Amino acid sequence: MSFAKTFLRLGVCVLIILTLVPSSSHAYKMLYPTSSSWANYVACDNLNGFAHWDHANLAFYYNPANLVAAKHAPAQAALEAALATWTNAAESDHQLSYAGRTTRLLDLLDNQNTMLWGGTSSLCRNNACHAITVVRYDSAQVLKEVDIVFNELMDWRTDGLSDTCSNTAAGTRLDTQGIATHELGHSVGLGHLPMNDPYYPHATMGGASCSTAARTLHSDDRAGLRCATDRYPFNPLYEGSLQEASCRTISGWGRNARYPNNQAYIELWNGSSLIGVHPSNPSFSIPTSWAFESGQWQTVGVKYTGTGTDLGGSPQDIICGVSMFPTQSPEAVFDTAGQVYTVGTQFSSSHNGYITEIGFRKGEQESGSNTLRLWTDSGAELASKPVSCTVLNYDPGVLESWWCWVTLDTPVAITAGARYRVTVNTNVKQAKTGCGIGSGITHGPLTAHAGFWSAGNTFPTTGSCSNFFVDVKFDI
Ligand SMILES: [Zn+2]
């Protein structure tokens, strides 16, 4: 397994005067390490996840070299307090512990989380850097090691005195506990929240980082911590089920019974492709995406995030936008000698579902109005809608035909096994294949059983093996 590292530098912060009132939503961002040194910041439902640990207990060591001896003990106390802040937060599943002193320096391959002060070859020695968090992670964003480097050129205080983040000169006073709390936030997966957000000046993971205010977590920091706990819980007790998978909605419920009042996160899969991450609180209802609108059977899977484990009732197969004659075309366009006919297709579905569109193959030079209708097999009208489209001619020697579809204002529910008829009136031209349906055409759940026709604008009652190319689109 290959590893990469990324850097999070607490550097010059621009303080922004904000007049906005903080909203009830949160601005926190999660850490998404990249191989290009600097991290990205993403939302909790980021499709590819964010940096996280696969175990709860995280031991941190402390190297006081490069601090004057008088500061060794106060700095250790400040670091221990910062570790305890994240551990003791009610939203936390993480246990950050002080493991003792070390002489190790920045070394991402020693499998030891280390907090240290600079050194002449430090990544964080120029004045634009106050402290930096460096992480090692694998391709699944699982953290393997975190090292935190504080700039030894600064005046690391524990007496409450601190300059702002905009101070960058050597000797700038910085609150050791506040900045350690900020850097340890990165170590549990939090990024920086946006600088233009109303929460920014107040959050430990924002502009408060260079003050004693950063010692205490803001509600936004706590929201980020809860996101890390909810999306990547340690030893979860997941329970839930996929209750509906249709072309309209994918819904059910799921939760981590170890934290029954938190929201869980579920993954939505289309076959082997992850297409979404959604909160479940404890239920979820996701509009079915266009990705399923293919006219082919597809598999909807819902899994608990990061586990590969399906909810009960998952996966389920659905088909959306399927029609009867996607691969057929009429043998010719016939002249009706001015006679109006109503022609149609008798069909059934092997599954309950909905007719969402109706359409017909319109012949070139057909004129007048055409109305598509959906009926029960005994002639009760279920839907009716006029359709208008133009058939282009690419071959002057032949009458062409093309599909004209309309979307029903309200999808019509149909019952598995029952027969229905879909019809259209033709006025002067008719696209057709004589005996084209034969003994039936099955595509997906739909079967075309027979053609039907009648003279005039009436429910067609005369059966035929002909295909008059009147069709439906069906959703599970
Ligand atoms: Zn930072």
Side-chain angles (χ1 to χ4, degrees):
M1 189 174 291
S2 65
F3 296 114
K5 65 184 179 182
T6 199
F7 311 110
L8 292 123
R9 184 169 63 181
L10 179 60
V12 181
C13 298
V14 178
L15 294 180
I16 299 172
I17 306 300
L18 292 151
T19 55
L20 292 169
V21 176
S23 68
S24 60
S25 62
H26 288 287
Y28 67 87
K29 292 292 181 186
M30 307 310 290
L31 175 62
Y32 187 79
T34 66
S35 57
S36 60
S37 295
W38 299 101
N40 288 333
Y41 304 128
V42 298
C44 198
D45 61 358
N46 185 47
L47 194 64
N48 297 312
F50 51 82
H52 63 280
W53 295 92
D54 61 6
H55 56 279
N57 296 312
L58 310 175
F60 284 83
Y61 291 81
Y62 162 49
N63 181 350
N66 301 316
L67 271 182
V68 296
K71 290 191 176 183
H72 287 192
Q76 177 182 325
L79 297 180
E80 290 189 54
L83 289 162
T85 296
W86 291 104
T87 298
N88 295 337
E91 295 81 2
S92 182
D93 216 3
H94 305 76
Q95 303 287 319
L96 280 62
S97 62
Y98 177 72
R101 296 195 181 184
T102 183
T103 57
R104 285 191 172 277
L105 300 172
L106 173 60
D107 178 358
L108 271 186
L109 296 176
D110 62 5
N111 294 311
Q112 175 179 297
N113 304 318
T114 306
M115 298 185 285
L116 65 144
W117 265 262
T120 53
S121 62
S122 168
L123 278 172
C124 185
R125 197 165 189 276
N126 73 61
N127 291 344
C129 178
H130 294 158
I132 192 168
T133 297
V134 192
V135 304
R136 177 164 56 93
Y137 60 98
D138 69 14
S139 58
Q141 299 282 325
V142 177
L143 291 166
K144 300 297 178 183
E145 185 182 340
V146 172
D147 288 343
I148 297 172
V149 184
F150 300 87
N151 186 342
E152 82 276 20
L153 300 177
M154 301 303 180
D155 180 8
W156 291 93
R157 307 295 289 247
T158 53
D159 58 5
L161 294 177
S162 178
D163 298 316
T164 69
C165 281
S166 58
N167 289 52
T168 60
T172 293
R173 296 175 301 181
L174 295 171
D175 186 65
T176 309
Q177 184 179 337
I179 288 188
T181 307
H182 173 97
E183 299 299 331
L184 288 168
H186 292 317
S187 79
V188 292
L190 275 69
H192 295 146
L193 66 162
M195 293 177 72
N196 62 356
D197 189 90
Y199 285 124
Y200 180 83
H202 313 291
T204 295
M205 301 314 293
S209 49
C210 289
S211 74
T212 56
R215 297 177 179 182
T216 307
L217 300 184
H218 183 265
S219 65
D220 194 75
D221 304 311
R222 293 179 178 277
L225 186 57
R226 185 157 173 168
C227 153
T229 300
D230 289 350
R231 184 147 177 194
Y232 297 108
F234 307 117
N235 303 313
L237 292 171
Y238 279 129
E239 55 186 19
S241 96
L242 171 60
Q243 294 173 317
E244 177 182 347
S246 73
C247 302
R248 292 160 301 288
T249 188
I250 295 165
S251 62
W253 68 278
R255 67 172 187 166
N256 176 5
R258 203 179 293 280
Y259 292 97
N261 297 319
N262 288 23
Q263 63 185 4
Y265 283 83
I266 50 103
E267 296 171 348
L268 177 61
W269 291 76
N270 180 359
S272 58
S273 299
L274 175 63
I275 62 170
V277 174
H278 301 270
S280 177
N281 194 22
S283 61
F284 61 89
S285 181
I286 307 159
T288 305
S289 88
W290 58 267
F292 290 100
E293 194 70 29
S294 67
Q296 305 290 327
W297 285 106
Q298 294 183 89
T299 302
V300 176
V302 181
K303 302 173 189 285
Y304 304 107
T305 48
T307 65
T309 303
D310 282 274
L311 278 66
S314 171
Q316 293 184 25
D317 289 339
I318 65 171
I319 191 165
C320 306
V322 63
S323 58
M324 291 181 276
F325 309 125
T327 59
Q328 287 86 5
S329 54
E331 64 181 355
V333 173
F334 296 92
D335 193 309
T336 67
Q339 171 65 52
V340 174
Y341 288 98
T342 298
V343 293
T345 309
Q346 183 197 48
F347 71 96
S348 65
S349 169
S350 58
H351 290 64
N352 292 337
Y354 292 85
I355 303 299
T356 60
E357 296 179 49
I358 47 182
F360 82 117
R361 186 101 178 186
K362 183 178 177 180
E364 187 183 342
Q365 297 178 10
E366 164 69 350
S367 63
S369 61
N370 301 109
T371 298
L372 287 153
R373 291 188 166 85
L374 182 66
W375 315 78
T376 67
D377 203 40
S378 56
E381 187 179 290
L382 300 173
S384 165
K385 198 157 186 187
V387 61
S388 175
C389 68
T390 301
V391 180
L392 299 174
N393 185 306
Y394 295 102
D395 182 352
V398 179
L399 290 180
E400 311 263 5
S401 66
W402 197 245
W403 285 105
C404 301
W405 292 95
V406 288
T407 301
L408 297 178
D409 299 330
T410 305
V412 175
I414 65 169
T415 304
R419 294 197 179 192
Y420 299 86
R421 295 184 200 181
V422 57
T423 69
V424 69
N425 65 292
T426 62
N427 302 311
V428 295
K429 300 290 180 188
Q430 196 177 87
K432 174 179 166 183
T433 295
C435 224
I437 291 180
S439 57
I441 295 175
T442 295
H443 183 240
L446 298 177
T447 296
H449 297 283
F452 272 86
W453 66 273
S454 63
N457 250 316
T458 61
F459 177 69
T461 53
T462 305
S464 165
C465 64
S466 293
N467 189 349
F468 298 106
F469 288 89
V470 192
D471 206 343
V472 297
K473 288 191 179 171
F474 172 80
D475 282 358
I476 287 282

